[in-house]
Amino acid sequence: MRFGPDELGQAEGNELVDSLETIRSLESVAADANVRVGTAFTDRVMAALADEPTPTPAGFLAPLRRRGLVTGFVESLRQAWRSMGAGRPVFARAAALAYVLAVVLAGTSLAGAATFGAAGALGLLDHETSAPSVDPTHPATLPTPRLESNAPESAEPTETPEPSEAESAEPSDDHGGGPGVEPSDDHGGSGPGAEPSDDHSGSGGGSDDGSDASGDGSAPSATDEHSGSGGTSGADD
Amino acid sequence: MLAGDREAFRILVDRESTAVVRTCYRVLGDMHEAQDVAQEAFVSAYRSLASWRGDGPFGAWLSRIAVRLAVRQAGRRKAVSWVRPLGDVGSDPVASIPAGARTQPEQVALRAERLSAIRHALASLDEPYREVVALRFFGERSLEEIAALTGRPLGTVKTHLRRGLLRLRDGLEPRGLA
């Protein structure tokens, strides 16, 4: 096939001259090859092909088209796996590898999602995730240690409810709410115990009996809590 | 044939073998090597039948495989050092000799060395220039066929050819062959 200068595109001037000179050299090489091969060469090639496996006509996606997505899937995967072996062109091997990897990734993702969903439906995830997540991150906000630390203070009112005249003669306005009531004017919140009654039982709840129940009523006020919940409960007594 | 029918493939080998061996010979310059590489090209093509896109002549696809294998084989050889036995007789020692004297043994040897140097320079080109130049001049493929084979636009193939020829000339210049 003779070369035409128009095949060089935009070459001109010295570039064109140099290119044509090189082309002459190449054509001298091409003209040197006076080659004839006969049937012996064909026999040789066919003998070399004797051990070759039959090539797959349309690649590893062919079973999907032939048998459908579900039934052809396993065969397709098997063909892709075989295509990754040696002796195949790089492009075909890379495509087969990509296909197998995509299938493996999709399968793993689906299996993981299904496992996670099943565990969530069975309630396994709630039990496992709630307890460890609170303890290490917010140990100081737990209500239980705080209540325990106030326990001695809440126990004090058991001593104070004695309506002794000596204590009531103190210049404070303490009406028996215990030491926790001292700095505040809180006398039991909204509960009836907060009313300026004659009750010197020491309980914020204002119970008449001045028994152990009064301790419960004073505990919230000792922690500067002004909710008066203890008073309310004391009033019910 | 695409399903792997060996008899059909045999017909194909019969039809294309001369062109494929010739292409390999042009790249390698040795008939035995050329036949070995051509056989490898046919086997490789048979294995890759499934990947043939069918967007061009089958012979062009075979030529591309053969050129690749032949150039690879040429790259495995040791570099041939070019000697100018006639001293400084101009840019082309063969051309400087009268035509009637070219049948002399020394002229045959000179010509063989020159062709060998051109082959070596071609094998030393970078891709994609090497492939385009080899397919065009040794595989005897048109630029349109090369564009279809390589999946590149025709203009790009022309640019690659032009630059490849200039680089080839630069590679031949130090040997006094350009």
Side-chain angles (χ1 to χ4, degrees):
Chain A
M1 182 182 293
R2 295 296 296 179
F3 185 84
D6 59 312
E7 294 185 47
L8 289 177
Q10 301 166 345
E12 55 187 21
N14 286 339
E15 197 176 277
L16 182 62
V17 173
D18 291 345
S19 298
L20 290 175
E21 196 175 343
T22 313
I23 288 167
R24 275 199 297 274
S25 299
L26 289 168
E27 286 180 340
S28 67
V29 175
D32 185 56
N34 186 17
V35 175
R36 286 281 164 209
V37 290
T39 54
F41 179 77
T42 305
D43 293 340
R44 178 179 156 182
V45 171
M46 294 314 292
L49 287 176
D51 296 333
E52 288 292 324
T54 304
T56 51
F60 48 82
L61 293 179
L64 290 178
R65 288 194 289 266
R66 276 200 313 265
R67 302 183 188 178
L69 196 63
V70 178
T71 52
F73 179 71
V74 175
E75 181 62 24
S76 161
L77 203 60
R78 191 178 296 143
Q79 279 198 15
W81 184 259
R82 279 202 303 258
S83 300
M84 288 195 302
R88 300 281 178 181
V90 176
F91 176 76
R93 291 164 67 181
L97 179 64
Y99 178 69
V100 171
L101 281 180
V103 169
V104 168
L105 275 177
T108 308
S109 302
L110 281 176
T115 306
F116 195 78
L122 292 173
L124 298 175
L125 294 177
D126 295 339
H127 180 66
E128 288 176 359
T129 54
S130 60
S133 63
V134 172
D135 279 341
T137 52
H138 303 291
T141 56
L142 285 176
T144 44
R146 196 164 186 170
L147 287 174
E148 287 171 4
S149 65
N150 292 332
E153 293 182 8
S154 65
E156 286 180 19
T158 56
E159 299 173 357
T160 57
E162 299 172 1
S164 63
E165 290 296 325
E167 287 183 341
S168 62
E170 287 177 5
S172 69
D173 292 335
D174 186 9
H175 292 278
V181 202
E182 285 173 6
S184 67
D185 293 330
D186 184 12
H187 299 285
S190 61
E195 293 175 0
S197 64
D198 293 334
D199 182 14
H200 296 275
S201 63
S203 69
S207 65
D208 292 335
D209 54 1
S211 63
D212 292 340
S214 61
D216 295 334
S218 63
S221 62
T223 58
D224 293 336
E225 185 173 326
H226 297 270
S227 63
S229 61
T232 305
S233 63
D236 292 339
D237 289 337
Chain B
M1 195 267 290
L2 291 179
D5 182 355
R6 289 172 196 272
E7 283 310 307
F9 195 77
R10 183 185 181 88
I11 295 171
L12 183 92
V13 173
D14 251 341
R15 197 184 71 193
E16 300 288 342
S17 58
T18 300
V20 172
V21 173
R22 188 191 299 134
T23 300
C24 294
Y25 178 76
R26 282 169 175 165
V27 175
L28 293 164
D30 182 273
M31 185 54 74
H32 292 294
E33 258 187 315
Q35 289 195 357
D36 287 346
V37 172
Q39 175 184 323
E40 194 181 342
F42 277 113
V43 172
S44 182
Y46 183 78
R47 287 174 182 158
S48 313
L49 279 175
S51 67
W52 182 50
R53 298 193 300 256
D55 49 1
F58 194 81
W61 183 64
L62 260 177
S63 290
R64 191 185 190 194
I65 296 173
V67 162
R68 277 189 178 179
L69 292 174
V71 165
R72 189 191 300 169
Q73 175 68 20
R76 289 180 188 144
R77 294 173 174 172
K78 286 184 179 178
V80 179
S81 59
W82 173 253
V83 181
R84 303 178 69 178
L86 299 181
D88 191 11
V89 292
S91 60
D92 189 348
V94 176
S96 66
I97 298 169
R102 292 190 184 182
T103 52
Q104 300 300 315
E106 63 267 24
Q107 300 315 313
V108 173
L110 268 179
R111 177 178 169 76
E113 282 198 53
R114 182 172 186 271
L115 298 182
S116 171
I118 294 170
R119 289 182 180 114
H120 179 71
L122 177 71
S124 304
L125 274 182
D126 293 328
E127 293 291 0
Y129 312 113
R130 179 173 58 195
E131 183 179 45
V132 173
V133 172
L135 279 173
R136 176 63 191 85
F137 294 101
F138 293 172
E140 294 186 340
R141 296 294 156 187
S142 68
L143 292 186
E144 288 78 10
E145 283 177 335
I146 297 171
L149 269 178
T150 57
R152 299 178 195 128
L154 183 61
T156 306
V157 172
K158 283 184 178 182
T159 304
H160 288 165
L161 179 67
R162 194 174 67 245
R163 291 181 184 167
L165 289 172
L166 291 176
R167 289 183 183 217
L168 189 62
R169 187 183 185 281
D170 292 342
L172 291 173
E173 228 168 17
R175 304 160 193 261
L177 291 169

